[in-house]
Amino acid sequence: MASAAAVVTLNVGGELFQTTTVTLSRAGASSPLASLGPSSPSDPHFLDGDPRLFARLLSFLRHGRLLAPPPPSAALLAEARHFALDGALLASLSPASAFSPLSLRPSALLPLTGRVSPSAVAVCPSPPHPASLAVAHGGVVTCFDAALATRTSVLTPLPAVDSLVAVSPELALAGARDFPGVHLCRFSDDAPAAAPEVLSWPGSPSATVLSMAATSASGAPSAPWLFASFESARRNSSAVVAFDLNSLSPVAEIGRKEVFGADIEAAIPATKLGWLGEHNLLLAAGSHSSPSGVVGDIRLWDIRASTTVPVWEVRENEDCFADVAASDTLSALFKVGAASGEVFMADLRRLGNGDGIGLETWVCIGDAQRAAAAVSSRRKEGNGCRIDCYCNWVFVARGADVEVWSQVELAPEAGGKKVMKRNWVGSGPSLEVAGDEESIKEKAKIVSWAFGGSRMALARADKRSVEVWDSAPAEICANT
């Protein structure tokens, strides 16, 4: 308990608040709040501010997160700037609308305990929560609060976590290949330090979780839902299972596939899932490598209409995808070719009505000639590439660097149509100097990433830390 000498009484817009110097110090050295000393109710510090907004900011400083809706508003963010909160705090309150990929800059390097490098990162969706961060390293999942000031760790029974979804600041879900179930990690103060709860595929006690995706609170028939891809222990069947996260019970089995005879490609499990809330579509994609090359399936499901027949599907065996993603705001699918490493786009608005396959052929938004040459020579330039969509942008991880594609409208004299243009996050492809050494080394490969609020989080190979990049507005950058 704080001593009486550490208690601070504040008069904010005519309303009295009491807190401690420790709580106010979390606002950061640049904030006038951090310099306020102890004061009594008879002689409080006066602050010119909105008491309703200040009450939320004070709660945020106490707990490192907003405990209740509504989500951070422009007025709350303006109040936080008024009191010059630390840049990391401001960035954690910033909504996705403040995200600017070309303004992303490294803002924090979060060290992890133990000797295992991170294998998966996830950012809590915002709104309604500020963007807290979950990181899997070995069998441990660590959650950092939105301000990146405190952390809580949960030990799972998994030797290594491959898939991670952050549902809220108090809950993450973890899965691993060749180990059964989706493991719940609870980070509340009264939760146990282990993850005993497991979501399993009905009728298959031993299953493999390959990929997970979660809907938003308003984006599913029985919201919120978690979609998890499973493969049976004998690898002779696969399915995507939907779980109701309120009851933690399975509610639907989607696209069950069985192996027939020697055709092991008949039941390729989904290794990438994505939820398109505006379109009410589930993306499920998986690939299989064989002596004849890489074969992959991409399916789109309208689970309101059918859980057995997709609204669109395609099997790829020529420049099959290394990774695939879907964008609600751009109404498009994107992929990185496994052979070419180039980026391709397909317009969701060209889906057929009632007759199934109506999506046009992929359009290369990169170098089409280079892509064709790579396919004909059977190169594998897309190996290890990742692709993801956030807000109005498409991100591609190539080794250690991140490129970003944005949609721009050409001038009327150039036709006025919209095209995708490429740029680089940060300084782009480059080398880094190792501390004060004169030797130069390549940056480590990106193994996982996540986006939320105004942030991007990166995990790199053989690094026992996580990079946090913020695209903070100018007012925030001035305080970092």
Side-chain angles (χ1 to χ4, degrees):
M1 180 180 296
S3 66
V7 173
V8 183
T9 305
L10 306 171
N11 178 349
V12 183
E15 188 171 329
L16 291 182
F17 293 86
Q18 282 196 315
T19 184
T20 67
T21 53
V22 173
T23 297
L24 294 178
S25 69
R26 295 172 186 153
S30 61
S31 172
L33 298 177
S35 62
L36 296 177
S39 58
S40 65
S42 61
D43 187 24
H45 296 290
F46 177 77
L47 298 176
D48 185 14
D50 186 325
R52 295 170 300 174
L53 295 173
F54 187 80
R56 298 201 75 199
L57 286 182
L58 190 57
S59 175
F60 179 63
L61 293 176
R62 285 171 177 151
H63 303 283
R65 63 182 187 274
L66 296 178
L67 297 181
S73 63
L76 182 64
L77 188 57
E79 193 78 355
R81 293 195 188 108
H82 172 68
F83 289 111
L85 263 64
D86 178 81
L89 295 173
L90 286 170
S92 69
L93 287 170
S94 298
S97 59
F99 184 83
S100 175
L102 299 184
S103 299
L104 280 168
R105 296 293 183 268
S107 62
L109 188 65
L110 306 177
L112 301 171
T113 58
R115 300 183 178 181
V116 181
S117 301
S119 56
V121 295
V123 174
C124 175
S126 177
H129 310 287
S132 57
L133 173 67
V135 183
H137 45 115
V140 177
V141 177
T142 297
C143 180
F144 295 86
D145 66 17
L148 307 178
T150 62
R151 69 177 74 189
T152 307
S153 295
V154 168
L155 177 64
T156 75
L158 304 170
V161 173
D162 300 317
S163 304
L164 189 65
V165 171
V167 179
S168 73
E170 292 81 26
L171 178 64
L173 301 111
R177 294 176 178 86
D178 299 321
F179 288 87
V182 178
H183 295 259
L184 277 66
C185 304
R186 299 187 184 276
F187 302 107
S188 57
D189 295 336
D190 56 351
E197 297 175 273
V198 181
L199 307 181
S200 300
W201 184 15
S204 180
S206 180
T208 299
V209 180
L210 296 171
S211 183
M212 294 182 288
T215 68
S216 63
S218 61
S222 180
W225 279 15
L226 168 80
F227 298 101
S229 174
F230 289 88
E231 186 179 35
S232 64
R234 297 179 60 188
R235 303 189 186 278
N236 59 357
S237 61
S238 64
V240 175
V241 180
F243 295 90
D244 186 327
L245 287 179
N246 290 325
S247 63
L248 301 179
S249 59
V251 291
E253 182 182 86
I254 304 164
R256 185 184 181 102
K257 295 183 286 187
E258 305 280 351
V259 171
F260 295 100
D263 185 12
I264 60 174
E265 295 176 354
I268 298 174
T271 53
K272 182 68 174 285
L273 298 176
W275 176 251
L276 291 154
E278 295 297 324
H279 295 75
N280 277 297
L281 291 175
L282 172 68
L283 165 70
S287 60
H288 170 75
S289 181
S290 66
S292 59
V294 181
V295 176
D297 296 323
I298 302 176
R299 298 183 174 190
L300 292 174
W301 298 88
D302 184 345
I303 55 179
R304 301 167 302 175
S306 174
T307 58
T308 58
V309 180
V311 297
W312 178 78
E313 63 179 328
V314 65
R315 168 156 288 195
E316 298 194 324
N317 50 28
E318 182 174 303
D319 202 10
C320 180
F321 58 90
D323 197 10
V324 62
S327 171
D328 247 339
T329 54
L330 297 175
S331 295
L333 296 179
F334 295 89
K335 75 167 186 176
V336 177
S340 66
E342 294 294 332
V343 180
F344 295 79
M345 176 181 179
D347 193 339
L348 285 174
R349 292 166 294 188
R350 298 184 181 276
L351 276 172
N353 296 318
D355 58 351
I357 301 174
L359 196 63
E360 287 188 346
T361 307
W362 292 101
V363 175
C364 182
I365 60 176
D367 189 331
Q369 291 184 340
R370 183 176 177 276
V375 172
S376 62
S377 60
R378 296 182 176 272
R379 296 201 294 265
K380 298 181 180 179
E381 297 184 9
N383 277 357
C385 289
R386 298 172 177 272
I387 191 167
D388 210 344
C389 300
Y390 185 59
C391 297
N392 298 318
W393 298 279
V394 181
F395 296 85
V396 180
R398 298 187 184 277
D401 300 294
V402 179
E403 67 182 41
V404 56
W405 292 81
S406 57
Q407 191 177 71
V408 298
E409 187 170 354
L410 298 178
E413 57 270 19
K417 65 179 181 178
K418 294 182 179 180
V419 296
M420 299 295 294
K421 292 292 186 180
R422 184 180 71 169
N423 213 314
W424 293 94
V425 172
S427 58
S430 62
L431 300 176
E432 64 176 0
V433 179
D436 296 329
E437 300 176 6
E438 294 183 358
S439 61
I440 297 179
K441 63 178 181 179
E442 292 187 1
K443 292 183 290 188
K445 177 183 177 182
I446 296 169
V447 296
S448 184
W449 59 0
F451 302 85
S454 62
R455 285 179 169 161
M456 174 179 72
L458 298 177
R460 297 186 184 273
D462 302 322
K463 301 290 184 180
R464 293 192 292 274
S465 58
V466 174
E467 295 176 22
V468 178
W469 293 53
D470 280 321
S471 60
E475 297 92 332
I476 298 178
C477 291
N479 297 320
T480 57

